[in-house]
Amino acid sequence: MNMRAPLEVSRPTDSAHPVPDRAGSNLYTTDTQWAPLLQQYLPADVYAHLQPYLTRMGHLAGGRLDELALIADKNPPTLEHRTRTGQDAQRIVKHPAYVEMERVAYGEFALATMSHRTGVLGWEGKLPPLAKYALTYLFVQAEFGLCCPLSMTDSLARTLRKFGAPELVDKYWSQLTATDFDDMAQGAMFMTEQAAGSDIANTQTVAYPQADGSWRLVGDKWFCSNPDAAFAMVLARVDGAPAGMKGISLFLLPRQLDDGSTNHYRIIRLKEKLGTRSMASGEIHMEGAVAYLVGEQGRGFVQMADMVNNSRLSNGVRAAGMMRRAVAEAEFIASERHAFGNALQDMPLMQRQLDKLRIYSEQARTMVLQTAQALQRSDAGEEGGYALLRILTPLIKFRACRDARKVTGDAMEVRGGCGYIEEWSDPRLVRDAHLGSIWEGTSNIVALDVLRAIRREGSLPVLQAHAAQLLAQTHATPAFLTALRSALERAAAFSQSAADADAAGERLARQAASGLYHCFTAIAMAWEASRTHSSERMRWAQLVLLHRALPRDPLQDGGIPADWVQ
């Protein structure tokens, strides 16, 4: 009997494989912009000291962390109500992949405690805020969900230190700032209620004073991320307090009581979420839970706002990081993937699409750097530091988080059909990106906060003065400098008019916030380009102004004006 020889199939080598895979890339060393920018914003000695840590984080984020994030996303946490012997003991079971990521973030890099302790990462004093955000910017390119507990732990410690009574701080500080992962306490914030989403004045949880100085909380919280955290900041209305915001106070809620027993609140269920599936979010029912007043009674929202604003900045950092990951993936695919005889990156339409993605991503990156610097100035008590931080924080939260939704979706398209498959990072980035515009204030709420910063804090002249300083140090053509200056003046005038109109101006809040964000980032990016001698970054700054701030005819091929170019 004749046997037909097996068909010989020629298989491509890995280097020539038609489906490009960037897995294993170092997300720090392959990013040509990040190191030069950090060098401009960080003191020289801090920058040099952080290099091995940034390189290590880049390696992990492009490799092991990315693998763990995919596993944790497919294996979300579960809630157990009883032990196998029938004891009533709730616990959230986290997948080992998530716990391994916790050990990296909380333990190896101390991202939750870096701002509160000296000696972290071998640095003699306290590292500046940008050190934490620079590392987080890399970490979040692999995993977003875990960054929520990290941020809340960091922010809770900051708020407790700022407003808590000394004895309360002394009692819990060592747990909140422990450097050993196994001894470390995580934080959360229980604020959202069914009847009081962004409208905190409708908070219905009630706090009852006790003879020993503690309080008992009764009520329900509707959306609580990291619900089994060791500590949570909780908003509640003191029994008998007046209606409205003035009746709201802030409390610290420990998970365990001094005698080791569990506090009197229950996790009712965990949420089934679109994104951030790796991290638990749930509903809480408080049944006379023991808590401690933080700060002045009746000023709970003002004090919680400090924690919220810190979380909003962290949220903007995460949006920037996710955009960077999405753009980097798209750039890699465009350079490696060939169609119709050409690399995708050599095709004019793809070049245009990649530029559109880059300018969103680079705007957010610049805002991370500028806002982290403003936070450092504010905490140091520098004149104008708080007012600048107060407007930059809602600007990055509003615009970067909205842009991340678009960038992650459009970058997924560059990968094509594979981008729609859950084996790749693209779907997870798209799902996770949508949380940013909701968590810690929806887009409308945060845009209105920009007007509030202008109205109450006098932030707009401070922002303009800061931008003027940057422009004075920017080397660009006179025509481009004039265009930058003029655009910011128009955006500032529009925003001031909206703020002055009070309620009538609220409908313009989103336009005002977007205008300020686009004009300011264009200026700051041009300044960065001058400092780093990057013609590429200068071109992106020009594209930001041209495509996101200035009026243009959508049916005209409007390139960068010749007199803007050096």
Side-chain angles (χ1 to χ4, degrees):
M1 184 171 62
N2 293 329
M3 298 289 290
R4 181 174 295 178
L7 180 66
E8 291 291 334
V9 179
S10 175
R11 299 189 180 277
T13 63
D14 287 343
S15 60
H17 197 279
V19 180
D21 190 347
R22 189 167 168 258
S25 297
N26 187 307
L27 302 191
Y28 179 62
T29 59
T30 59
D31 185 346
T32 59
Q33 293 286 323
W34 200 212
L37 288 171
L38 290 175
Q39 194 168 17
Q40 300 306 315
Y41 283 89
L42 286 169
D45 53 349
V46 176
Y47 172 78
H49 181 82
L50 286 177
Q51 289 312 296
Y53 297 100
L54 290 162
T55 302
R56 165 75 173 158
M57 182 66 90
H59 169 72
L60 288 171
R64 182 58 178 163
L65 283 175
D66 200 41
E67 295 170 358
L68 294 170
L70 179 62
I71 296 170
D73 184 70
K74 293 180 181 297
N75 296 274
T78 58
L79 174 62
E80 291 184 353
H81 294 279
R82 310 187 92 187
T83 69
R84 66 182 182 180
T85 61
Q87 292 179 305
D88 186 7
Q90 288 191 319
R91 75 177 186 125
I92 293 176
V93 182
K94 305 172 184 177
H95 192 274
Y98 184 84
V99 176
E100 188 175 337
M101 290 192 293
E102 285 185 307
R103 288 189 176 276
V104 171
Y106 283 99
E108 182 177 347
F109 287 94
L111 295 179
T113 57
M114 185 181 296
S115 295
H116 311 293
R117 294 185 65 100
T118 59
V120 174
L121 302 185
W123 184 252
E124 186 174 342
K126 270 189 189 177
L127 286 163
L130 181 52
K132 172 180 63 184
Y133 294 130
L135 289 162
T136 302
Y137 181 83
L138 294 169
F139 182 92
V140 76
Q141 292 184 46
E143 164 64 11
F144 177 88
L146 176 55
C147 288
C148 172
L150 279 169
S151 170
M152 291 192 297
T153 303
D154 176 24
S155 299
L156 184 146
R158 175 186 171 92
T159 301
L160 179 63
R161 170 69 84 182
K162 190 170 183 178
F163 299 109
E167 58 272 18
L168 188 63
V169 176
D170 291 343
K171 183 176 182 179
Y172 295 123
W173 190 251
S174 62
Q175 297 176 57
L176 286 166
T177 60
T179 54
D180 189 308
F181 174 73
D182 294 318
D183 299 329
M184 195 174 296
Q186 294 188 23
M189 52 195 299
F190 300 165
M191 185 167 63
T192 306
E193 298 186 7
Q194 289 178 329
S198 297
D199 188 1
I200 301 301
N202 274 337
T203 295
Q204 297 176 1
T205 298
V206 179
Y208 298 91
Q210 305 298 300
D212 64 356
S214 67
W215 296 75
R216 293 278 187 157
L217 305 184
V218 177
D220 293 299
K221 294 296 181 178
W222 179 241
F223 204 105
C224 306
S225 291
N226 211 25
D228 63 338
F231 299 97
M233 285 291 184
V234 184
L235 290 177
R237 188 179 304 281
V238 170
D239 184 37
M245 201 72 81
K246 292 183 179 179
I248 306 299
S249 296
L250 181 62
F251 298 87
L252 181 69
L253 178 74
R255 181 66 173 147
Q256 283 193 320
L257 301 176
D258 292 344
D259 62 5
S261 63
T262 303
N263 205 347
H264 309 292
Y265 65 91
R266 296 185 61 79
I267 305 168
I268 304 303
R269 64 167 177 162
L270 299 186
K271 303 284 194 179
E272 186 175 353
K273 299 172 291 183
L274 171 69
T276 63
R277 293 176 179 173
S278 64
M279 179 268 301
S281 299
E283 299 167 21
I284 298 290
H285 176 63
M286 290 172 284
E287 308 159 326
V290 177
Y292 303 95
L293 181 68
V294 175
E296 185 180 343
Q297 187 174 318
R299 290 182 56 80
F301 180 72
V302 174
Q303 292 149 3
M304 177 65 96
D306 186 77
M307 184 172 180
V308 168
N309 283 331
N310 210 44
S311 293
R312 283 177 175 173
L313 170 52
S314 296
N315 210 334
V317 174
R318 292 192 285 281
M322 285 194 290
M323 279 192 275
R324 170 59 200 164
R325 172 66 189 275
V327 173
E329 292 290 324
E331 289 175 332
F332 178 79
I333 293 156
S335 68
E336 297 293 319
R337 179 83 165 149
H338 288 70
F340 312 110
N342 293 297
L344 297 185
Q345 69 178 4
D346 295 331
M347 297 179 178
L349 195 55
M350 178 58 74
Q351 292 172 347
R352 184 179 177 88
Q353 292 307 109
L354 289 175
D355 267 343
K356 285 186 176 182
L357 296 178
R358 289 176 184 124
I359 63 173
Y360 287 86
S361 175
E362 295 303 327
Q363 282 182 275
R365 188 188 330 230
T366 290
M367 280 296 281
V368 168
L369 295 161
Q370 287 287 327
T371 313
Q373 192 177 65
L375 174 61
Q376 184 174 358
R377 289 180 53 196
S378 176
D379 285 349
E382 290 186 26
E383 184 178 357
Y386 175 75
L388 183 60
L389 176 68
R390 186 64 186 80
I391 194 168
L392 291 182
T393 298
L395 283 177
I396 189 174
K397 166 63 170 71
F398 167 64
R399 194 66 261 168
C401 291
R402 289 195 63 79
D403 287 348
R405 292 159 53 171
K406 175 176 175 57
V407 168
T408 54
D410 287 358
M412 179 170 67
E413 185 180 354
V414 176
R415 197 186 293 276
C418 287
Y420 199 64
I421 305 303
E422 292 282 355
E423 292 173 307
W424 300 86
S425 61
D426 307 79
R428 190 172 73 250
L429 288 171
V430 171
R431 288 188 278 105
D432 288 350
H434 278 72
L435 178 61
S437 294
I438 301 172
W439 182 43
E440 307 296 22
T442 59
S443 298
N444 285 350
I445 293 296
V446 180
L448 289 169
D449 197 41
V450 173
L451 298 189
R452 193 175 299 113
I454 294 171
R455 193 181 301 123
R456 297 182 182 178
E457 310 297 340
S459 292
L460 191 54
V462 177
L463 179 67
Q464 290 176 278
H466 179 58
Q469 289 179 339
L470 296 177
L471 279 172
Q473 301 168 20
T474 300
H475 302 292
T477 66
F480 184 45
L481 291 173
T482 298
L484 288 168
R485 191 174 296 110
S486 174
L488 182 62
E489 287 173 358
R490 289 186 62 211
F494 182 86
S495 300
Q496 187 66 63
S497 177
D500 291 343
D502 293 326
E506 289 184 358
R507 65 185 180 85
L508 304 174
R510 293 169 76 113
Q511 285 175 262
S514 292
L516 289 175
Y517 179 88
H518 298 325
C519 295
F520 176 73
T521 52
I523 290 170
M525 288 171 67
W527 173 82
E528 291 166 347
S530 295
R531 302 276 293 188
T532 60
H533 308 289
S534 171
S535 58
E536 187 175 41
R537 195 161 198 81
M538 186 66 76
R539 186 176 69 87
W540 292 338
Q542 292 163 349
L543 289 175
V544 168
L545 192 64
L546 189 65
H547 289 282
R548 307 206 74 189
L550 297 183
R552 64 190 183 96
D553 185 346
L555 299 180
Q556 186 177 33
D557 182 10
I560 296 173
D563 59 358
W564 286 13
V565 181
Q566 294 280 14

